[in-house]
Amino acid sequence: MSILVFQHQATEPAAVLGAVLRDHGHRLRVIELFAGQPIPPDLDDVHGIVSMGGSPNVDETAKYPWLEAEMTYIKTAHGRGVPIVGICLGAQIIASALGGKVAAMASPEVGWGNIKMAFPGTIDPIYVGLHWDSMQVHLHGQEVTALPPGATPLSGSKACKTQAFKVGSTTYGFQYHFEWTDADIRNAAHDELVKKAGVNPETIIQGIAQHYDGYRRLGNRLCETIALMLFPIDMRRD
């Protein structure tokens, strides 16, 4: 069995999260949707799903036909209790697939910025041992404006009310990027969205020296918790 990784563009791999999942014995099956690879027809041999970030918006289904197919797949998987994690665009796809709403922000949220846990986040097992207030990396111009029915908010920021949420007990969405390496952040600093937000790329790059060590330490812990709690040991396969 394997964990499916839906990759929406070449520069948005599973990065540290993918490495941690592999270190815990999981086999990743990466579906490069940006390259035209098809979504599997069923959930056979799938014990988890990770949906990554990317520049498309969830309403651009005419331009990116795989968006609708992925949302349908995720809705089915969620209904069957398959553990799901979405990051940035992936979180928005989860929200849309399960009945929430996503819309454009007044101004993109890019670069380094604090998130703060909502009360449910402070007691949620996925956030165990993490700071209630932490510096994270952001790169998005859209946000979840209405959570799916029954969803629980876990964290937010000044610019974006919903930074993390869960639906049920094994489907999680994270708007911020906790999985990036130093190189990923440097690459993201030159994204078109950074220019649109009027942010100097050097500001983001210079922030690495100040914030990266703490960011990566907390991000590693979250990746470990995801690997251990959402994809438990009895689901591992050679």
Side-chain angles (χ1 to χ4, degrees):
M1 298 183 79
S2 61
I3 296 174
L4 288 187
V5 177
F6 289 131
Q7 188 171 338
H8 306 119
Q9 64 186 55
T11 55
E12 291 271 9
V16 175
L17 177 58
V20 170
L21 290 172
R22 289 189 180 99
D23 286 347
H24 281 75
H26 294 290
R27 181 168 61 89
L28 304 187
R29 180 182 173 191
V30 179
I31 309 297
E32 295 182 342
L33 296 171
F34 66 92
Q37 292 184 355
I39 290 174
D42 51 45
L43 289 162
D44 289 354
D45 296 324
V46 174
H47 69 266
I49 298 171
V50 176
S51 180
M52 298 309 303
S55 58
N57 299 326
V58 294
D59 60 354
E60 295 182 300
T61 53
K63 185 176 181 180
Y64 304 101
W66 47 260
L67 275 168
E68 189 169 356
E70 182 179 348
M71 285 189 273
T72 298
Y73 194 87
I74 283 177
K75 183 177 181 179
T76 301
H78 172 77
R80 295 187 185 179
V82 176
I84 305 169
V85 172
I87 301 175
C88 202
L89 172 59
Q92 296 168 11
I93 287 173
I94 290 172
S96 295
L98 302 184
K101 294 181 180 179
V102 176
M105 304 176 71
S107 178
E109 184 180 29
V110 301
W112 297 97
N114 279 89
I115 67 160
K116 187 174 182 179
M117 290 187 196
F119 173 71
T122 66
I123 59 174
D124 193 89
I126 207 72
Y127 271 164
V128 65
L130 297 182
H131 298 173
W132 292 6
D133 189 306
S134 65
M135 186 67 71
Q136 299 293 338
V137 187
H138 310 272
L139 187 67
H140 63 109
Q142 301 239 326
E143 63 180 331
V144 177
T145 55
L147 288 170
T152 302
L154 299 178
S155 64
S157 67
K158 288 183 178 179
C160 176
K161 182 179 179 181
T162 301
Q163 285 288 348
F165 64 92
K166 73 173 182 178
V167 192
S169 59
T170 58
T171 295
Y172 283 82
F174 300 91
Q175 185 59 68
Y176 58 94
H177 288 275
F178 60 87
E179 83 287 9
W180 277 351
T181 64
D182 179 303
D184 292 323
I185 296 170
R186 291 176 186 275
N187 180 67
H190 299 286
D191 190 270
E192 191 66 28
L193 203 58
V194 174
K195 184 187 297 184
K196 182 178 179 181
V199 174
N200 185 342
E202 286 304 313
T203 302
I204 299 173
I205 293 171
Q206 290 169 8
I208 293 174
Q210 180 180 358
H211 303 302
Y212 185 77
D213 286 349
Y215 158 82
R216 190 63 273 133
R217 177 172 55 83
L218 295 176
N220 287 352
R221 181 151 192 166
L222 179 55
C223 290
E224 291 278 347
T225 305
I226 288 171
L228 291 170
M229 297 195 66
L230 289 186
F231 309 110
I233 191 167
D234 61 355
M235 288 185 174
R236 298 180 196 174
R237 296 291 186 272
D238 292 334

